[in-house]
Amino acid sequence: MSQWEMVFGVHAVEALLRHHPKRVKQIVLASGRQEDRLQSLYELAVQHRIDIDYAERRELDERVDGVHQGVLAYVSPSQIWGEAMLDELLQRLEEPPLLLILDGVTDPHNLGACLRTADAAGVHAVIIPKDKSATLNATVRKVACGAAEVIPLVAVTNLARTLEQLKQAGIWLVGTAGEAEKSIYQHDLKGPLALVMGAEGKGMRRLTREHCDYLANLPMAGSVSSLNVSVATGVCLFEAVRQRKASS
């Protein structure tokens, strides 16, 4: 199975079985007492004629570096989108684009959480640089709870160039920065929008910041100076969702 990627966790495996069953080579279920949620995975695997194996939970613990919830799957390697595929996606949209750009988010838990939030907010695609960024792996998929299997993740070679192309396509770039004069609530987020979030601790890189049309802050009322990037992403995205729903 060395040529296959490992995906674990009930929600991540279920999303693969429902949306990309042809990518799944085999699922491995914990032997012994079967929970209802594992039984539903078994039925999906049978429906798609996917090989099913069983293993003791102790063996699953040894195979997986994380909480497997009694299931893992071996799947074909992840398909990460390229710049050309992003162009096609934007051309097909019949509503104003809502994009999330993560500039150098290297923690796979944060990337997974951002993907989960982006999917919940109806984001059309998440864009990351190919270098200095976490990418799809088993941990990201587990934390994303299935979102990694349905939301396009676009890895670009030159983020600054991609930002410029998005601006040329009429998409406004709003970056988050603690020193920004206006808060996220004071900006118009209803039109074609790409929200740019910086790396943990360091924030956006200089060149990324310079390409943003506007900068916005998140008002902080307590003693903590900043939020985790995935939490800040949720706050900003759902403010955009709120504004869009109010105007429709």
Side-chain angles (χ1 to χ4, degrees):
M1 291 287 181
S2 59
Q3 73 272 32
W4 302 92
E5 288 186 353
M6 183 187 298
V7 176
F8 57 86
V10 171
H11 295 294
V13 174
E14 180 181 12
L16 275 166
L17 290 172
R18 291 191 183 280
H19 298 285
H20 306 287
K22 292 183 179 179
R23 289 188 54 208
V24 184
K25 173 68 173 178
Q26 180 189 67
I27 69 168
V28 183
L29 299 172
S31 56
R33 182 173 63 86
Q34 293 300 308
E35 305 170 24
D36 289 343
R37 57 184 183 175
L38 296 186
Q39 180 62 28
S40 66
L41 295 181
Y42 170 85
E43 292 171 358
L44 280 171
V46 170
Q47 176 185 335
H48 293 292
R49 299 181 181 180
I50 294 168
D51 181 46
I52 302 169
D53 195 10
Y54 293 91
E56 296 290 336
R57 283 186 176 270
R58 182 179 66 255
E59 183 181 345
L60 293 180
D61 291 341
E62 294 174 353
R63 293 197 206 181
V64 173
D65 182 18
V67 182
H68 53 70
Q69 299 177 307
V71 60
L72 65 86
Y74 291 99
V75 306
S76 59
S78 307
Q79 295 297 314
I80 297 179
W81 289 44
E83 285 113 313
M85 298 174 74
L86 175 62
D87 291 339
E88 292 179 14
L89 181 148
L90 294 175
Q91 292 172 10
R92 293 199 307 265
L93 290 180
E94 298 180 356
E95 58 186 347
L98 178 58
L99 306 175
L100 173 62
I101 299 171
L102 302 175
D103 183 22
V105 173
T106 57
D107 186 330
H109 292 87
N110 279 338
L111 176 57
C114 287
L115 288 173
R116 182 176 182 178
T117 300
D119 179 61
V123 167
H124 298 109
V126 176
I127 301 172
I128 60 173
K130 285 184 178 178
D131 61 337
K132 297 181 181 179
S133 173
T135 189
L136 284 183
N137 61 22
T139 299
V140 171
R141 294 178 184 281
K142 173 65 168 56
V143 175
C145 288
E149 319 313 330
V150 294
I151 191 166
L153 180 63
V154 184
V156 299
T157 304
N158 187 321
L159 183 58
R161 183 178 62 201
T162 298
L163 295 176
E164 187 60 37
Q165 290 171 345
L166 292 176
K167 292 174 72 170
Q168 293 297 324
I171 297 173
W172 292 91
L173 307 181
V174 177
T176 53
E179 69 276 11
E181 295 182 359
K182 290 186 177 182
S183 78
I184 193 69
Y185 308 113
Q186 295 173 294
H187 286 283
D188 184 348
L189 308 176
K190 296 186 291 292
L193 174 71
L195 177 66
V196 188
M197 306 298 298
E200 304 92 348
K202 299 179 180 179
M204 292 180 292
R205 289 176 290 182
R206 179 188 58 81
L207 200 54
T208 301
R209 179 192 297 259
E210 291 175 356
H211 276 83
C212 291
D213 295 297
Y214 302 108
L215 295 179
N217 68 56
L218 272 68
M220 305 295 293
S223 59
V224 175
S225 61
S226 64
L227 295 174
N228 172 277
V229 64
S230 63
V231 175
T233 295
V235 172
C236 295
L237 284 179
F238 276 92
E239 171 58 16
V241 170
R242 185 195 67 78
Q243 291 188 21
R244 288 161 180 250
K245 288 187 177 297
S247 66
S248 62

